[in-house]
Amino acid sequence: MGRNIAILLSCLALGACNLLPEERQATAPQRVVTKPIAASPATRQCLSELGQTGARFSAQPDKYFGAGCSTLNAVTIDRLAGDSNAFGLSNMGPVTCPTANALAGWARFGVDRAARQILGSPLERIETYGSYSCRNVAGSSRRSAHATAEAIDVAGFVLADGRRISVKQDWNGANANERRFLRVVQQSACKRFGTVLGPDYNAAHEDHFHLEATGGGYCR
């Protein structure tokens, strides 16, 4: 037993033991290959642009999970900045830097400003169902953009006055301003993301906006 404890302590010291693996499907390989944070000119430019938005974030090392799943050129975001206030994100995992930049611009210019203009209160928090997840597109054998940390599922928005606007509850809800707000922020997302799917796309998206950095400008 003493030898096993010594091995465990050695693993922890070297950072080689993944005791809490990142969320992924049970069928995904357990071995994770980690490489140092890339320092290409494109990566440095993207991180610089993200910093200029006022976002608080941390660059992450590249990770390969196998079976087409990875988090490359990724960051984790703590907070985003609006015109005059900062706001948080819930349930977010790593996202690619370009996806984070699209999110930062949308949150500030699309969501926060729409909340002020239409609902009379600034944004406090964006609620999500997550970002990276090693999974396929529902009903297919094709890997989802979530499997490469290039997509975010947004479930709702919390305003500074305490109101919570939910995609599921308010897309066709009784409040006309809340319905308008959700449609405005979705259309704003379509200008910044390659693929945007919402309640009008199919039943699987009735409770969130799927925001994907990749794609050819599909908005539904």
Side-chain angles (χ1 to χ4, degrees):
M1 179 176 293
R3 182 173 179 272
N4 291 337
I5 293 174
I7 292 173
L8 177 59
L9 292 175
S10 176
C11 285
L12 293 174
L14 294 173
C17 291
N18 189 1
L19 299 181
L20 294 173
E22 292 189 20
E23 179 184 359
R24 54 189 185 275
Q25 289 182 342
T27 57
Q30 295 300 306
R31 184 171 180 268
V32 179
V33 177
T34 301
K35 294 188 177 181
I37 295 173
S40 69
T43 295
R44 291 195 297 268
Q45 178 66 26
C46 185
L47 294 174
S48 175
E49 291 173 357
L50 185 57
Q52 290 171 18
T53 70
R56 190 170 69 193
F57 66 94
S58 299
Q60 300 297 308
D62 290 346
K63 291 186 178 182
Y64 297 84
F65 300 95
C69 297
S70 63
T71 54
L72 310 181
N73 187 21
V75 300
T76 54
I77 308 171
D78 295 322
R79 294 189 72 79
L80 296 173
D83 291 331
S84 59
N85 64 300
F87 32 84
L89 297 157
S90 65
N91 302 318
M92 277 284 290
V95 292
T96 64
C97 184
T99 306
N101 263 317
L103 177 67
W106 174 67
R108 178 175 184 176
F109 301 110
V111 182
D112 186 42
R113 290 187 180 180
R116 294 170 185 271
Q117 295 169 7
I118 299 173
L119 300 176
S121 177
L123 179 67
E124 177 73 20
R125 184 173 70 254
I126 296 176
E127 297 183 336
T128 84
Y129 288 141
S131 50
Y132 170 76
S133 179
C134 187
R135 67 175 190 253
N136 292 342
V137 174
S140 80
S141 59
R142 180 169 58 88
R143 280 301 189 202
S144 166
H146 287 286
T148 49
E150 295 177 288
I152 305 162
D153 287 341
V154 173
F157 310 89
V158 177
L159 307 185
D161 64 8
R163 278 180 290 174
R164 180 180 182 273
I165 313 302
S166 161
V167 175
K168 182 176 183 178
Q169 300 297 328
D170 300 311
W171 181 257
N172 291 314
N175 188 299
N177 283 337
E178 292 175 356
R179 295 198 307 271
R180 179 186 169 208
F181 166 77
L182 288 173
R183 283 158 177 78
V184 166
V185 299
Q186 184 191 28
Q187 288 301 312
S188 177
C190 293
K191 299 175 182 178
R192 295 180 179 273
F193 293 89
T195 301
V196 176
L197 307 176
D200 287 341
Y201 178 61
N202 62 16
H205 294 82
E206 67 176 358
D207 61 352
H208 69 278
F209 296 138
H210 171 88
L211 310 180
E212 182 178 327
T214 57
Y218 188 81
C219 177
R220 179 71 183 276

